[in-house]
Amino acid sequence: MFKSLQVFCLIFMVLTLTDSYAQSKSKQFCFEFYEGTYNLEVDQSLLIKAPQTLSSQTVTSFYNKLNSSIYKPVIDSLLAYKEKYQLNDWLYYQLIRKSVQQFSPKADNYTRYTLYKWFFLSKSGYDARLALSHDKIIFYVYNDEDISDIPFFMINKKKYMCLNYHDYPKADLRQDPPYPIPILVAEAKKAFSYKITKLPDFKPENYREKNLQFSYKQKIYHFNIKLNSDVEAIFKNYPGVDFESYFNIPLSNETYQSLIPLLKQNIKGMSEKKGVDYLMRFTRYAFLYEDDEDNFGKEKRMSAEETLFAKYSDCDDRAALFFYLVKEIYKLPMIAMLYPTHITMGVQFSKPIGKPVMYKGKIYSVCEATPQGENLQIGQISSKLKNIPYKVVYSYQPTHL
């Protein structure tokens, strides 16, 4: 596959270089991006030296040079690829990152790399901003969603989230607040969304199999789930989004086809209650548990596919996976119940099971998808949580109801 990509890129470059004028005025790059191959042509006028010092004046000068360059073909090409493959904003930003890496590598000059990313995102229509904090260049984008665990600042009552905070892991921007650079890009008006409603159709040959097993009713069930490491890369610096966005991140197609039909086959003939119980115990016991602080050194919410991929996972991750499985297979109404140190799910059955949980006039039964000290049945809550108040942070109502 890698050889075929090399051949394709070579053909592309040869065809492009047949025009001697284009050869002298532009550089061509070709790289694999998830399900497709992206061909990038960068005019020489776009290749500008990085500012020697970091200040509002030098950044503005760099922008003016970029703005006078032949940049529009690159923006048109990026947006066309976004449209063709229906990339959500977060995946589109990954395309921009990888494109800039081709001609202005991050390791060579971080400032230059960041300025190109900001310029391309802004010229794509997103309201992105720059700020300085001593020797740090901070890259923000307007976002009107409920995002946690990354810094933001407010301009005219609009919230801008930091896109490159992970590059300064030890920085405390509250103690050393950045000051915005007053560059306004006319095209940059749209809000950026972190919602991911579609994952790429990764190439099947890029998947590997992971073996899982768990025991249910004295029978051992085996699974060979297809997983792709590109999913880990997509979510490496993904922030903490609201629970609705988080729970509804889909599985990629190959992973879906390797798991969901098999689960449906395994619960075929079971009652609704027993089928949900099976999914609850699969989520509870097919994976090793470890708290995020011990696993990652910080809180990190993993999507359903990340949870399948990971060696360890905690209650947030199990809740997301359980929600996804019940939604895909049964489409039952659910609520997410957030305690101070735990999250669990409530499912609305045709007849309530166990101790009822009331929410907006409807009755739900607790389904605990995380290992506890007790063997909890549907409708049972851990004894350590019985007298602890919780908050419903997401309510799912199927559209067919």
Side-chain angles (χ1 to χ4, degrees), residues 86-104:
Q86 300 177 348
L87 301 181
N88 295 132
D89 290 351
W90 178 254
L91 292 175
Y92 181 60
Y93 175 56
Q94 307 313 309
L95 176 63
I96 288 177
R97 289 179 63 231
K98 194 160 184 177
S99 297
V100 172
Q101 182 68 18
Q102 305 303 306
F103 64 90
S104 181

Side-chain angles (χ1 to χ4, degrees), residues 25 41-49 61-75 103 116 119-120 123 187:
K25 291 292 184 179
E41 184 173 342
V42 179
D43 189 86
Q44 289 284 358
S45 63
L46 255 174
L47 304 178
I48 300 168
K49 290 183 179 179
S61 175
F62 188 87
Y63 165 73
N64 289 335
K65 291 175 184 177
L66 281 179
N67 203 37
S68 300
S69 70
I70 303 174
Y71 67 83
K72 195 171 185 306
V74 173
I75 304 302
F103 64 90
Y116 275 118
F119 183 80
F120 286 169
K123 290 296 182 178
E187 304 93 319

Side-chain angles (χ1 to χ4, degrees), residues 257-270:
Q257 295 301 331
S258 69
L259 176 63
I260 302 301
L262 182 56
L263 287 173
K264 288 181 177 179
Q265 179 62 35
N266 291 347
I267 63 178
K268 188 177 181 180
M270 294 184 185

Side-chain angles (χ1 to χ4, degrees), residues 38-220:
Y38 184 61
N39 300 308
L40 174 66
E41 184 173 342
V42 179
D43 189 86
Q44 289 284 358
S45 63
L46 255 174
L47 304 178
I48 300 168
K49 290 183 179 179
Q52 292 187 349
T53 59
L54 195 55
S55 69
S56 181
Q57 292 76 21
T58 58
V59 169
T60 300
S61 175
F62 188 87
Y63 165 73
N64 289 335
K65 291 175 184 177
L66 281 179
N67 203 37
S68 300
S69 70
I70 303 174
Y71 67 83
K72 195 171 185 306
V74 173
I75 304 302
D76 291 343
S77 174
L78 288 167
L79 291 173
Y81 195 93
K82 178 181 187 292
E83 179 67 23
K84 179 179 179 180
Y85 291 104
Q86 300 177 348
L87 301 181
N88 295 132
D89 290 351
W90 178 254
L91 292 175
Y92 181 60
Y93 175 56
Q94 307 313 309
L95 176 63
I96 288 177
R97 289 179 63 231
K98 194 160 184 177
S99 297
V100 172
Q101 182 68 18
Q102 305 303 306
F103 64 90
S104 181
K106 181 178 181 178
D108 288 358
N109 190 292
Y110 180 76
T111 295
R112 188 173 186 252
Y113 167 78
T114 303
L115 290 175
Y116 275 118
K117 289 194 303 175
W118 161 76
F119 183 80
F120 286 169
L121 192 62
S122 297
K123 290 296 182 178
S124 297
Y126 295 92
D127 186 0
R129 305 292 179 98
L130 293 171
L132 297 179
S133 175
H134 293 301
D135 60 340
K136 304 178 187 66
I137 184 161
I138 313 298
F139 176 23
Y140 292 89
V141 67
Y142 170 48
N143 172 269
D144 55 8
E145 299 164 341
D146 181 15
I147 306 297
S148 62
D149 75 7
I150 55 175
F152 66 92
F153 70 83
M154 303 294 293
I155 299 179
N156 298 327
K157 298 183 179 180
K158 292 170 66 176
K159 180 170 56 104
Y160 291 79
M161 307 303 304
C162 185
L163 273 172
N164 67 332
Y165 183 62
H166 57 276
D167 291 325
Y168 302 109
K170 297 181 180 179
D172 187 347
L173 298 181
R174 292 170 298 181
Q175 297 295 323
D176 192 12
Y179 61 90
I181 299 175
I183 300 176
L184 295 179
V185 181
E187 304 93 319
K189 297 178 180 179
K190 289 194 303 183
F192 181 92
S193 175
Y194 286 93
K195 291 182 184 292
I196 296 179
T197 57
K198 178 183 181 297
L199 286 177
D201 289 327
F202 302 108
K203 292 180 172 62
E205 60 267 29
N206 290 346
Y207 281 78
R208 67 173 179 80
E209 286 192 347
K210 178 180 180 179
N211 303 115
L212 290 175
Q213 69 176 43
F214 90 111
S215 177
Y216 184 75
K217 304 291 186 183
Q218 288 79 51
K219 180 178 178 180
I220 296 177

